[in-house]
């Protein structure tokens, strides 16, 4: 579940900065230089050819006007630290979508890369998103070792403050044209109906939420043979103040899509695609027959993407293709709809810990072992279509959903209608996610420790109100009652709290803490078998179970929890 204050997985790569005024500026920049030096120290230790292979630096449009601590300035400081040490630096000459950095790392054979972005965070934030040589976000032990190196770097060295090195050093290269051209060419590998796209009368509106997405989404639509989508003029160009939205997070739904929806109605466009400020996430809305708009959840979009990517693979794969080599992935707090599709169709489905860094690393491992990965997602509107980019990518997802909508229109269907078809075929998956605020860490710990010692020492709950619990998985401790050895298949994550309950009625519910915000999040999904198609009954059952979960396990009144504001 996203919100305006949550850094999402930007902070999963360790580093986040916030500058609240001039007095904080030098401190923030000094901290930034420490990060840069820590990265340099760690990479030098790990790669003997670091200086020759180089390092990628990208950035978004934060602080371009109102702050002296813009993303571009911070990116220049990062580049300067490395250039001062004679490292080849691929520094983009203008802002780019976050997916361009992991893509460039792989295409250019660099040892690593960073994207300076705070994604859909509030305007005061900025972040430092690190990618390893495999094109995936860093995971342990790299993150912890980088922190150690940062802590060892106290004083800046000569050249650290010299931003002009980006303009004068022969070791700086601009990869923009090469990467953009290559990315758009690779994008066509997942374009299956170009002729239909060229002839389509379906109109699309795109909003980039004052971020980097406009130019790149326009190019992506052209690469698929579409007319470019209609941009929302007030939100088309970069604006670090995000002046037309209360929160630059498209996950927030209709309240932040107001300008896009009104423009779509004016232009008779049936589908709105919205990329977040760094263009790695995608929200989608579709106008229904009654004139109202349906804003799809991340889990609903994943059902559509999963069906589409598998259907296109099935229609275009070689005759001797082995479906047992085909994979889709999702984070463990996301919908289980891909699991249901996989069980029926015969391909593999895997879960990872929350965060796309885990997905990217696992996908790379599968590819290296000769497997084919079609699609991966996280419920917070993060989607990976194909494997050109080993991270979520709002640009590719936008044009894939456009092709899907165009194809469905030719079949007399809408996205919403097809979603119902998918649920009818594979079983309804109804999900709800939200969170409570809790500013007292001891309270959070007490809540989760109570669940681990519910009916006595080391005894998890056997029921939640009237609902019987089938299995319990505790990622914090590594316990999983569904396994013969009682050990979790997913890696243990002691730094955060996360317990998943599987109920006898088919519901799966997870309680977890945020790594960056004072929150306890809940994710609940009712997974029905095919044929159990009374959606209203399933929704009512899910709502009752969520109420039981909150009342019995979280006890908001007793623990002083504040529910997420509407």
């Amino acid at each position: 579940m996203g919100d305006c204050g949550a850094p999402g997985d930007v902070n999963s790569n360790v580093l986040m900065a916030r500058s609240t005024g001039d007095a904080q500026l030098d401190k923030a920049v000094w901290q930034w230089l420490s990060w840069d030096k820590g990265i340099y120290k760690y990479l030098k230790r790990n790669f003997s050819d670091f200086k020759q292979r180089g390092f990628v630096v990208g950035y978004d449009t934060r602080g371009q006007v109102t702050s002296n601590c813009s993303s571009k300035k911070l990116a220049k400081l990062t580049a300067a630290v490395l250039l001062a040490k004679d490292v080849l630096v691929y520094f983009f000459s203008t802002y780019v979508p976050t997916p361009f950095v992991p893509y460039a790392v792989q295409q250019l054979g660099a040892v690593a890369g960073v994207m300076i972005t705070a994604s859909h965070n509030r305007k005061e934030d900025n972040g430092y998103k690190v990618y390893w040589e495999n094109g995936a976000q860093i995971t342990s032990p790299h993150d912890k070792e980088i922190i150690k190196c940062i802590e060892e770097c106290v004083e800046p060295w000569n050249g650290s403050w010299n931003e002009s090195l980006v303009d004068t050093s022969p070791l700086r290269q601009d990869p923009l044209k090469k990467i953009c051209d290559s990315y758009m060419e690779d994008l066509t590998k997942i374009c299956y109906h170009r002729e239909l796209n060229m002839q389509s009368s379906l109109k699309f509106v795109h909003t980039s939420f004052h971020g980097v997405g406009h130019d790149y989404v326009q190019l992506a639509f052209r690469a698929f043979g579409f007319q470019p989508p209609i941009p929302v003029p007030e939100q088309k160009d970069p604006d670090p103040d995000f002046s037309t939205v209360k929160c630059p997070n498209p996950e927030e739904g209709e309240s932040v899509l107001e300008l896009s929806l009104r423009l779509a109605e004016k232009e008779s466009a049936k589908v709105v695609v919205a990329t977040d400020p760094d263009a790695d996430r995608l929200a989608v809305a579709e106008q229904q027959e009654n004139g109202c708009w349906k804003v799809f959840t991340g889990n609903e979009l994943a059902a559509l993407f999963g069906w589409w990517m598998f259907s296109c693979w099935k229609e275009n794969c070689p005759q001797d293709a082995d479906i047992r080599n085909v994979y889709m992935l999702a984070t463990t707090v996301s919908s289980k709809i891909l699991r249901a599709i996989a069980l029926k169709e015969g391909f593999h489905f895997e879960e990872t810990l929350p965060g796309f860094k885990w997905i990217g690393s696992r996908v790379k491992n599968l590819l290296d072992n000769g497997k084919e990965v079609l699609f991966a997602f996280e419920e917070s509107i993060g989607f990976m279509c194909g494997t050109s980019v080993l991270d979520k990518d709002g640009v590719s997802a936008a044009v894939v959903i456009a092709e899907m909508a165009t194809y469905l229109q030719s079949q007399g269907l809408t996205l919403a209608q097809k979603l119902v078809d998918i649920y009818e075929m594979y079983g309804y998956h109804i999900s709800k996610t939200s969170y409570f605020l809790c500013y007292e860490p001891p309270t959070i710990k007490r809540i989760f420790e109570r669940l681990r010692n519910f009916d006595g020492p080391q005894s998890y709950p056997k029921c939640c109100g009237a609902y019987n619990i089938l299995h319990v998985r505790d990622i914090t401790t590594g316990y999983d009652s569904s396994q013969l050895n009682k050990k979790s298949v997913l890696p243990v994550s002691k730094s955060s709290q996360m317990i998943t309950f599987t109920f006898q009625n088919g519901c799966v519910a997870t309680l977890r803490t945020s790594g960056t915000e004072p929150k306890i999040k809940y994710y609940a999904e009712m997974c029905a078998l095919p044929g159990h198609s009374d959606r209203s009954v399933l929704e009512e059952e899910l709502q009752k179970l969520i109420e039981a979960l909150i009342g019995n396990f979280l006890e908001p009144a007793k623990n002083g929890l504040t529910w997420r504001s509407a």
Side-chain angles (χ1 to χ4, degrees):
M1 188 72 193
D3 68 282
C4 218
D9 62 1
V10 175
N11 201 33
S12 71
N13 277 337
V14 183
L15 308 171
M16 198 72 186
R18 178 169 293 151
S19 177
T20 55
D22 292 339
Q24 298 287 335
L25 189 57
D26 287 345
K27 182 179 178 182
V29 172
W30 188 276
Q31 181 186 29
W32 209 271
L33 290 172
S34 297
W35 295 351
D36 296 333
K37 290 182 295 177
I39 288 280
Y40 168 81
K41 186 174 182 179
Y42 185 67
L43 293 175
K44 184 184 177 186
R45 181 189 302 167
N46 280 270
F47 297 97
S48 59
D49 55 355
F50 173 28
K51 292 184 178 182
Q52 293 74 38
R53 289 175 59 188
F55 187 87
V56 177
V57 180
Y59 52 94
D60 67 9
T61 56
R62 286 178 174 265
Q64 297 285 69
V65 177
T66 58
S67 170
N68 289 322
C69 199
S70 69
S71 291
K72 187 169 186 177
K73 177 185 178 69
L74 296 171
K76 282 188 170 185
L77 288 170
T78 298
V81 166
L82 300 174
L83 290 168
K85 291 295 184 179
D86 298 323
V87 176
L88 172 65
V89 175
Y90 297 101
F91 183 90
F92 284 98
S93 55
T94 189
Y95 54 81
V96 291
T98 288
F100 271 37
V101 171
Y103 181 78
V105 167
Q106 289 201 93
Q107 290 295 308
L108 300 171
V111 300
V114 297
M115 176 69 185
I116 313 303
T117 181
S119 191
H120 52 263
N121 265 41
R122 66 187 208 174
K123 65 183 180 181
E124 293 84 2
D125 291 350
N126 224 323
Y128 195 94
K129 194 170 189 179
V130 187
Y131 294 90
W132 201 241
E133 64 171 339
N134 62 1
Q137 295 177 48
I138 56 168
T139 55
S140 186
H142 300 308
D143 50 2
K144 294 178 176 62
E145 292 301 315
I146 288 173
I147 289 178
K148 288 181 184 177
C149 289
I150 290 169
E151 291 169 347
E152 294 167 4
C153 295
V154 180
E155 297 295 328
W157 53 58
N158 290 337
S160 294
W161 297 83
N162 188 5
E163 294 176 44
S164 65
L165 280 175
V166 172
D167 304 311
T168 59
S169 173
L171 290 172
R172 180 266 175 141
Q173 292 187 19
D174 177 12
L176 181 64
K177 187 179 188 310
K178 178 179 180 178
I179 293 304
C180 190
D181 290 348
S182 178
Y183 173 92
M184 296 302 164
E185 185 177 341
D186 276 349
L187 199 53
T188 60
K189 294 176 183 175
I190 52 174
C191 175
Y192 298 100
H193 299 279
R194 185 178 173 81
E195 288 189 11
L196 189 63
N197 299 342
M198 294 173 69
Q199 299 163 6
S200 175
S201 61
L202 192 62
K203 289 183 180 180
F204 302 90
V205 161
H206 170 239
T207 174
S208 52
F209 272 78
H210 301 294
V212 305
H214 170 72
D215 292 340
Y216 302 99
V217 170
Q218 295 269 311
L219 288 171
F221 268 66
R222 290 191 180 98
F224 266 49
F226 285 111
Q227 289 295 310
I230 303 164
V232 178
E234 301 93 331
Q235 298 174 336
K236 174 174 72 73
D237 298 321
D239 173 6
D241 289 327
F242 306 117
S243 54
T244 67
V245 288
K246 181 181 178 181
C247 166
N249 183 2
E251 238 190 310
E252 293 297 307
E254 273 199 61
S255 62
V256 292
L257 294 173
E258 181 70 21
L259 287 175
S260 339
L261 302 183
R262 300 296 80 80
L263 178 63
E265 290 168 357
K266 178 183 175 183
E267 297 286 348
S268 299
K270 295 297 185 184
V271 178
V272 168
V273 291
T275 49
D276 69 342
D278 68 323
D280 67 346
R281 299 172 192 255
L282 178 78
V284 179
E286 181 185 56
Q287 192 173 36
Q288 306 303 291
E289 288 184 3
N290 62 4
C292 296
W293 287 89
K294 175 175 176 57
V295 181
F296 295 91
T297 67
N299 286 331
E300 289 173 334
L301 288 173
L304 288 164
F305 278 123
W307 159 77
W308 177 254
M309 296 303 290
F310 177 71
S311 298
C312 291
W313 176 86
K314 197 172 180 180
E315 289 177 15
N316 294 277
C317 68
Q319 280 191 334
D320 61 348
D322 188 350
I323 197 170
R324 292 172 298 181
N325 280 329
V326 173
Y327 283 73
M328 292 192 192
L329 293 86
T331 59
T332 190
V333 295
S334 300
S335 174
K336 313 301 179 190
I337 184 61
L338 295 187
R339 180 181 66 185
I341 298 174
L343 285 171
K344 189 175 181 69
E345 301 294 349
F347 61 86
H348 289 277
F349 168 72
E350 286 192 6
E351 285 188 334
T352 72
L353 290 177
F356 239 92
K357 63 180 182 179
W358 301 106
I359 287 180
S361 294
R362 179 56 182 156
V363 169
K364 178 60 175 168
N365 180 263
L366 288 168
L367 295 176
D368 288 346
N369 283 278
K371 307 303 182 184
E372 189 171 2
V373 180
L374 303 183
F375 175 67
F377 87 103
E378 61 182 4
E379 54 81 32
S380 51
I381 59 173
F383 310 105
M384 187 193 83
C385 300
T387 54
S388 292
V389 176
L390 299 184
D391 200 4
K392 57 184 175 287
D393 182 354
V395 177
S396 61
V399 73
V400 168
I401 203 78
E403 182 171 71
M404 189 194 310
T406 299
Y407 171 81
L408 288 172
Q409 185 195 47
S410 74
Q411 304 296 306
L413 291 170
T414 64
L415 292 169
Q417 288 168 341
K418 186 61 197 180
L419 181 63
V420 172
D421 288 349
I422 292 167
Y423 286 147
E424 294 281 354
M425 179 175 292
Y426 300 108
Y428 272 89
H429 286 62
I430 313 298
S431 58
K432 288 189 178 181
T433 65
S434 193
Y435 59 83
F436 286 87
L437 293 169
C438 181
Y439 296 94
E440 301 295 332
T443 300
I444 293 176
K445 185 176 181 181
R446 186 174 67 248
I447 288 170
F448 282 89
E449 285 303 312
R450 173 175 170 264
L451 295 175
R452 296 185 179 104
N453 303 278
F454 201 77
D455 295 318
Q458 298 182 340
S459 173
Y460 292 87
K462 296 179 177 62
C463 63
C464 180
Y467 299 96
N468 291 327
I469 294 171
L470 196 61
H471 298 299
V472 178
R473 182 183 64 196
D474 188 342
I475 293 297
T476 309
T477 64
Y479 172 79
D480 188 342
S481 67
S482 71
Q483 301 297 312
L484 287 175
N485 62 2
K486 306 302 179 186
K487 292 183 178 180
S488 171
V489 175
L490 292 176
V492 175
S493 181
K494 294 181 180 178
S495 61
S496 61
Q497 303 280 0
M498 181 171 160
I499 302 178
T500 298
F501 302 94
T502 301
F503 293 87
Q504 283 188 345
N505 67 355
C507 182
V508 179
T510 296
L511 299 175
R512 67 181 283 250
T513 52
S514 167
T516 56
E517 294 287 322
K519 294 175 182 175
I520 300 175
K521 301 181 178 183
Y522 68 80
Y523 308 76
E525 181 175 48
M526 186 66 72
C527 306
L529 295 171
H532 293 252
S533 57
D534 193 333
R535 185 185 179 111
S536 61
V537 172
L538 294 171
E539 287 178 339
E540 183 179 353
E541 181 83 347
L542 179 63
Q543 185 56 41
K544 287 180 180 177
L545 193 145
I546 289 173
E547 290 171 2
L549 190 78
I550 292 170
N552 289 280
F553 290 174
L554 295 181
E555 301 178 304
K558 176 181 175 181
N559 291 308
L561 307 182
T562 305
W563 187 65
R564 175 201 181 207
S565 59

